[in-house]
Amino acid sequence: MPSQEPLLLRHHRPFIAFWLARIFTASGFQMLTVAIGWNLYQLTGNVLDLGLVGLVEFAPRVLFMLHTGHVADRYDRRRVAAICQSIQALIALSLAIGSATDHVTREMIFILAFVLGAARSFEMPTTQALLPSIVPSALFPRAVAAAQSAQQSATIVAPALGGLLYAFGSVWVYGPTVILYLIACSLMLNLPARQTPLNKGKATLDSLLAGIRFIRSRPDILGAISLDLFAVLLGGATALLPVFAKDILLTGPWGLGLLRSAPAVGALMMSLWLARFAVDRNVGRVMFTAVGIFGVATIAFGLSTSFWFSLAVLVILGAADMISMVIRASFVQLETPDEMRGRVSAVNGLFIGASNQLGEFESGLTAHWFGTVPAVVMGGIGTLVVTGVWIKLFPSLASRDRMHVPKEEVKA
């Protein structure tokens, strides 16, 4: 029977539609991000503006965190996701028209970047909460891994495609991006309707904070989400890759491109493996082991002076990160009631975003204080320390055997 489950997933039409929508919307975002960055830098020539764009895109996730989850739980998730994708299509269309008429300005890009961040802040928890209602719970871990393979594929291919198209002009990137988002929107609207009754309650402060209270009441969920926050916060070295490429590994822009794509390659390969061979038992031990490998790989990368060894280590780092991500995402969604999934996903999304954004800031700050290599090595050591501390703080998570324990078994 286990050997037939992946076939069931591949022949599950709603999931295939969801997977394709994920491919198109992720590719659209990656291409849009590349084009916005190049366009802005051409306009201003200011490196600080590139950092400010990322901050502007992240701000809505904090501002609307409590509301995004409530919207995902109260309204039809298919329509919410489709509206968000339509807004992103309109952003790309606005930039395409502005580029064609030579009316794109710095202020216009910042405003549209904020709207883009707002649309994605509502789309992320909605699509995360939507997936469990599309596939049976037995196939959910494989579905998460397969969905992540779509994300990683887009991360590898779409930026390169966007850069290639930009050589012909920015409108050649923005135009196809509009089409990608519209296709994703159409696929979302054709997914099956939600079976669980919608939450008709008003958006009170109590209901908005319900997701945070729920996470605090579930030690395993709190432990998994916070483990990812601190592990990535300390162990992330992405922001320092240009320094390693130029000054330590003595390579050029092509080498930097390979270094940036290496974690995504490892993550993609691991996601394809997990889509075929899901982690069914000892999930807590496997997750903590994966985070430990992530820390060790970070240390190895920091100490490496060989380009090819660094590349291999980053592939391993990406694969380890994918294992912990799939396990965490799977059991958090399975352990959360459907009527709460949007709000819980919103809090989880904020943690993920904070770990990535603050992790880049932490890496830059420690590199400024202690040097590039010591900063990365200390970050990897910090990840290992956090892993050990979390095993002590959340013993039930460390000893967790399965993704989801049915209620009847808990009662027994």
Side-chain angles (χ1 to χ4, degrees):
M1 290 298 294
S3 63
Q4 295 177 355
E5 287 184 346
L7 295 176
L8 291 173
L9 181 61
R10 288 199 296 269
H11 288 85
H12 198 71
R13 290 187 177 182
F15 175 75
I16 295 300
F18 179 90
W19 188 86
L20 289 172
R22 187 73 176 265
I23 278 278
F24 290 127
T25 190
S27 298
F29 174 71
Q30 293 292 337
M31 292 172 62
L32 192 58
T33 301
V34 168
I36 286 176
W38 275 104
N39 210 338
L40 181 63
Y41 193 66
Q42 282 184 327
L43 284 172
T44 69
N46 190 344
V47 178
L48 179 60
D49 283 341
L50 299 179
L52 290 176
V53 165
L55 185 61
V56 168
E57 287 182 12
F58 176 70
R61 189 173 296 181
V62 179
L63 294 175
F64 304 130
M65 179 193 73
L66 297 177
H67 299 280
T68 56
H70 187 82
V71 167
D73 287 334
R74 186 176 185 184
Y75 300 101
D76 187 333
R77 289 167 182 161
R78 301 171 305 165
R79 294 182 180 179
V80 173
I83 290 172
C84 293
Q85 290 156 1
S86 299
I87 292 173
Q88 292 172 81
L90 289 175
I91 292 171
L93 180 61
S94 300
L95 288 167
I97 295 173
S99 297
T101 59
D102 199 24
H103 281 85
V104 175
T105 64
R106 175 179 182 272
E107 290 72 22
M108 175 185 178
I109 290 179
F110 276 112
I111 292 172
L112 292 179
F114 182 85
V115 178
L116 176 64
R120 284 179 55 79
S121 69
F122 281 89
E123 180 189 18
M124 180 181 293
T126 301
T127 53
Q128 287 180 352
L130 183 62
L131 183 56
S133 64
I134 295 176
V135 297
S137 59
L139 291 177
F140 186 66
R142 289 183 171 88
V144 172
Q148 283 300 314
S149 72
Q151 179 73 33
Q152 298 302 326
S153 298
T155 302
I156 296 171
V157 176
L161 178 59
L164 179 64
L165 292 174
Y166 199 95
F168 299 97
S170 58
V171 69
W172 287 93
V173 184
Y174 296 132
T177 300
V178 175
I179 299 174
L180 291 174
Y181 276 122
L182 292 179
I183 295 174
C185 176
S186 176
L187 289 168
M188 278 291 174
L189 290 175
N190 282 286
L191 291 176
R194 183 179 181 182
Q195 299 301 317
T196 305
L198 297 174
N199 176 15
K200 297 298 184 180
K202 294 182 179 179
T204 63
L205 181 61
D206 184 69
S207 68
L208 294 175
L209 294 174
I212 296 176
R213 289 199 303 271
F214 178 83
I215 291 173
R216 289 182 60 187
S217 69
R218 302 296 178 94
D220 284 6
I221 295 178
L222 175 62
I225 293 177
S226 57
L227 173 65
D228 175 74
L229 169 63
F230 289 105
V232 176
L233 177 66
L234 296 173
T238 305
L240 301 178
L241 286 181
V243 182
F244 275 90
K246 182 176 183 295
D247 299 333
I248 298 174
L249 302 177
L250 306 179
T251 185
W254 68 273
L256 175 59
L258 290 177
L259 291 172
R260 284 194 175 278
S261 64
V265 170
L268 174 60
M269 292 190 297
M270 182 54 67
S271 65
L272 293 174
W273 174 269
L274 292 175
R276 180 66 178 85
F277 303 101
V279 179
D280 296 321
R281 308 303 296 265
N282 299 316
V283 295
R285 185 184 304 172
V286 173
M287 183 178 70
F288 276 102
T289 301
V291 176
I293 293 173
F294 179 89
V296 172
T298 300
I299 296 172
F301 174 76
L303 295 175
S304 173
T305 56
S306 165
F307 174 76
W308 296 108
F309 179 76
S310 296
L311 208 60
V313 167
L314 287 176
V315 171
I316 295 172
L317 182 148
D321 188 44
M322 177 56 61
I323 295 173
S324 70
M325 192 286 302
V326 168
I327 293 176
R328 182 182 66 256
S330 298
F331 93 77
V332 167
Q333 291 292 342
L334 290 174
E335 291 289 296
T336 304
D338 185 66
E339 65 273 11
M340 287 289 300
R341 281 178 177 145
R343 282 164 284 183
V344 171
S345 296
V347 177
N348 188 28
L350 178 65
F351 273 50
I352 294 172
S355 65
N356 291 329
Q357 298 291 332
L358 294 180
E360 292 185 1
F361 174 74
E362 180 271 338
S363 296
L365 189 63
T366 53
H368 176 72
W369 285 345
F370 306 110
T372 302
V373 171
V376 174
V377 172
M378 287 190 297
I381 294 173
T383 298
L384 294 178
V385 172
V386 167
T387 302
V389 172
W390 256 240
I391 290 175
K392 297 294 185 182
L393 291 177
F394 302 95
S396 62
L397 176 61
S399 61
R400 189 182 184 92
D401 184 45
R402 287 182 288 173
M403 295 286 186
H404 177 59
V405 180
K407 291 182 179 179
E408 56 271 17
E409 293 188 23
V410 174
K411 293 178 180 179

